[in-house]
Amino acid sequence: MFAVHLMAFYFTKLKEDQIKKVDRFLYHMRLSDETLLDIMARFQAEMQKGLGKDTNPTASVKMLPTFVRAIPDGSENGEFLSLDLGGSKFRVLKVQVSEEGKRNVQMESQFYPTPNEIIRGNGTELFEYVADCLADFMKTKELMQKKLPLGLTFSFPCKQTKLEEGILLSWTKKFKARGVQGTDVVSSLTNAMKRHQDLDVDILALVNDTVGTMMTCAYDDPYCEVGVIIGTGTNACYMEDMSNIDLVEGDEGRMCVNTEWGAFGDDGALEDIRTEFDRELDLGSLNPGKQLFEKMISGLYLGELVRLILLKMAKAGLLFGGEKSSALHIKGKIETRHVAAMERYKEGLANTREILTDLGLEPSDADCIAVQHVCTIVSFRSANLCAAALAAILTRLRENKKLVRLRTTVGVDGTLYKIHPQYPKRLHKVVRKLVPNCDVRFLLSESGSTKGAAMVTAVASRLQAQRKQIDKVLALFRLTQEQLVGIRNKMRVEFEYGLKKDTHPLATVKMLPTYVCGMPDGTEKGKFLALDLGGTNFRVLLVKIRSGRRSVRMYNKIFAIPLEIMQGTGEELFDHIVQCIADFLDYMGLKGAQLPLGFTFSFPCRQASIDKGTLIEWTKGFKATDCEGEDVVDMLREAIKRRNEFDLDIVAVVNDTVGTMMTCGYEDSNCEVGLIAGTGSNMCYMEEMRNIELVEGDEGKMCINTEWGGFGDNGCLDDIHTQYDKEVDEGSLNPGKQRYEKMTSGMYLGEIVRQILIDLTKQGLLFRGQISERLRTRGIFETKFLSQIESDRLALLQVRRILQQLGLDSTCEDSIVVKEVCGAVSRRAAQLYGAGLAAIVEKRREDQGLEHMRITVGVDGTLYKLHPHFSRILRETVKELAPQCDVMFMLSEDGSGKGAALITAVAKRLQQAQREH
């Protein structure tokens, strides 16, 4: 028994001594955590260099864009072909992808040899050979009658400018076909396929094997956004934000970047890490000075590193009693499979003895232990370096997503990772140590890169089909120059109809006289009350105007109007308004003051004088009974009488659009048009009295409230009215009315977008075909979301957050589409506004007989103020459609409050002047 213990002790001691000896000798190959974190930081800097336009040419890590923009979402289906060229064998594959609720892939494949005379001959022959093999495969599988999309896995560095093109940068591994470098391999293969007339194949994608690995794994695990190959060579790819890829136009979405990380260190960045053995190996390689990172990691080189170390140790008398065999001097005699065998857990030592004996050596127990430890150090360093670079990629992903913790999956392929007994475990452990804030799952890629190429092709054909359908929908919202001119001309005709006595009753654009006949001249002064009713809030204001210095001070209070009052009786509504006025007068300490009052009432009214306004119809969700056809000023006076607490001098009833024009007119005498682009849509302008047949007198001007929201109610806009506009109209409170407003105003744009999103989701083009309960809810997609989503500063991540608040779980691609939909709807709205406005400024120019005219438009409304592109598109459209008018836009500061007070002040001044006559 004692002898056994002694033996065990001797062996343990022997092992410790040998391990210490090797550790001392290979001290430089052991990398501390600190060094690994440093390498990780260096690789991050290299990635940044490769992504930058100016720094890319000199970067060693090339960060090639692959034009793969999306990972599989599970809805892919169909038959695809895949070719894999890049290894010792060439493979053709037919992949059948079916969705039916479960992700299912069936494959049939065939290997073809790649004889040396083909892969080192001339390029044309290489591609003709590939085409012949493809034709043979399709005949055998009886696929000749089908038109199939094809993905080509091409495992060599290529520069791509689109998914279906790749310029070969350099051959690697054993390939050396002439005349291919610097040319597009896809067009070479397409030309070669033309020789087979019965071959109908569409090459949709050229894919690097690393990308193929990521896509294969992503089909099984949607969290997969990194692909790594650790085999004969090594490389990694990952999904990068487009906004960080300078080499490709556009900031939307993500794209897979092929890092080509094997070249990390080619610029000297890893010189302090490289050992004498790395340098010796590099000098004896096919490409000295190139792929230095790969030469420390990949399967092609690990065995050779071990051989060089053993040779040196033997020379130093540290192994084999100083004896060296001739085999140990031969390059390539130790392969990575040998390294893997020597590191096996139980049989490793026996394998080591066998392998060394085959090399003509006579190893002792001590030698076997030492050699096994050399293998461990070399392969452990490989895993460490790989982990450091991978940790840099994971950190980058986490930072791109602005997350505290990242959950992600890494797809892995490659013989070294697959056959080495300890490699995966070591790699995983180090990665998790270097990025403790990432939860990483490693997924072994089954049937690797070729299936991946088919997946890329499947995704590309899905995206192509989806793109077509989405473009078809968006095209409905694109207005041509011709259509816009037509809309401008129709609007002009409607203006004339509304102004003429005979046609006015039937006109859709009502052209209501407002009895506002003068603009402010700066002499106005005094205290005025203003009321503002036009939405869900009601405001009461006290406005103090001082003459001479044109200064206006305002005090106001906002009151809510509950839904039951908006849709109750007229008496209740006006009693509520008077209650609010009473509260305000109390609050301001003005209980008994007799003040002139201007009432902004933003609904269509027919006026017979400035202080009389008959409500034509409610809009914007108001439905109070017994008001339509009644004079709202009388109703307000009655309510004040009922309360019997105070008396007010109601001087003017005003539309908010007119208030907007007046506010801007107070600052700029050129202002003759008022425009509202907010919850509602309307426009007013100063018209020559001689053109207004509804009002007596031909002298001077009067402001006309066009009420243009009703434009199109006679069907004249039917050619641009889409099914989505119809849905919105039918679901509104006033179907068939206010057609133009429903295509342009803030109250409805979000609703149009919601209808489009529902339709696209039904077609399976969005949100994985799942319509959430929230999306079914009317009014959920507020117009403010359009403004937020279309903001240029907003990354897609924030768009996804907005959609999440709406209960919509969106992918990156979904977010891009939603942004496009919002853009199409708001762009059309701005262009329609522009066409209407062009009609009015052209009319004013012609009425005054001017060749060229300068005019200012006073504008108010949230859409104009808050939407990132609306105002620009509106201005551009007016410029195109009214080129002889120089139109200035002026933002109104509180038209409905200050404007109402100014109109009241002007009316008081004009009354005064009449009395003095």
Side-chain angles (χ1 to χ4, degrees), residues 656-703:
D656 57 345
T657 322
V658 184
T660 296
M661 181 185 78
M662 287 304 255
T663 310
C664 294
Y666 189 59
E667 311 283 333
D668 175 350
S669 55
N670 251 343
C671 180
E672 289 207 336
V673 181
L675 183 70
I676 297 276
T679 316
S681 162
N682 197 8
M683 189 269 299
C684 71
Y685 70 104
M686 294 304 284
E687 177 59 276
E688 308 295 328
M689 280 291 286
R690 63 171 187 274
N691 293 335
I692 310 173
E693 292 186 4
L694 300 169
V695 181
E696 292 293 308
D698 281 349
E699 288 307 306
K701 296 179 193 170
M702 182 186 284
C703 177

Side-chain angles (χ1 to χ4, degrees), residues 3 99 104 109 127 134 178 309 399 482 497 577 674 766 854 872 906:
E99 46 172 343
N104 185 4
S109 71
F127 288 110
L134 177 63
R178 295 184 301 281
I309 294 166
E399 286 170 358
E482 205 179 332
Y497 273 180
I577 288 172
L766 272 183
R854 293 188 62 162
R872 175 182 53 80
V906 171

Side-chain angles (χ1 to χ4, degrees), residues 312-373:
K312 173 108 188 231
M313 286 180 79
K315 280 180 183 167
L318 295 170
L319 280 179
F320 319 126
E323 294 295 322
K324 311 177 287 294
S325 69
S326 57
L328 194 57
H329 281 91
I330 299 171
K331 183 178 160 192
K333 263 297 181 191
I334 298 181
E335 295 173 24
T336 299
R337 64 189 171 91
H338 297 135
V339 177
M342 290 192 266
E343 283 194 72
R344 286 223 178 284
Y345 180 55
K346 283 196 173 122
E347 59 271 30
L349 278 174
N351 292 342
T352 307
R353 185 176 295 281
E354 192 183 317
I355 289 162
L356 293 174
T357 310
D358 286 349
L359 290 170
L361 296 160
E362 292 175 12
S364 65
D365 285 351
D367 290 334
C368 291
I369 290 167
V371 170
Q372 188 181 41
H373 194 53

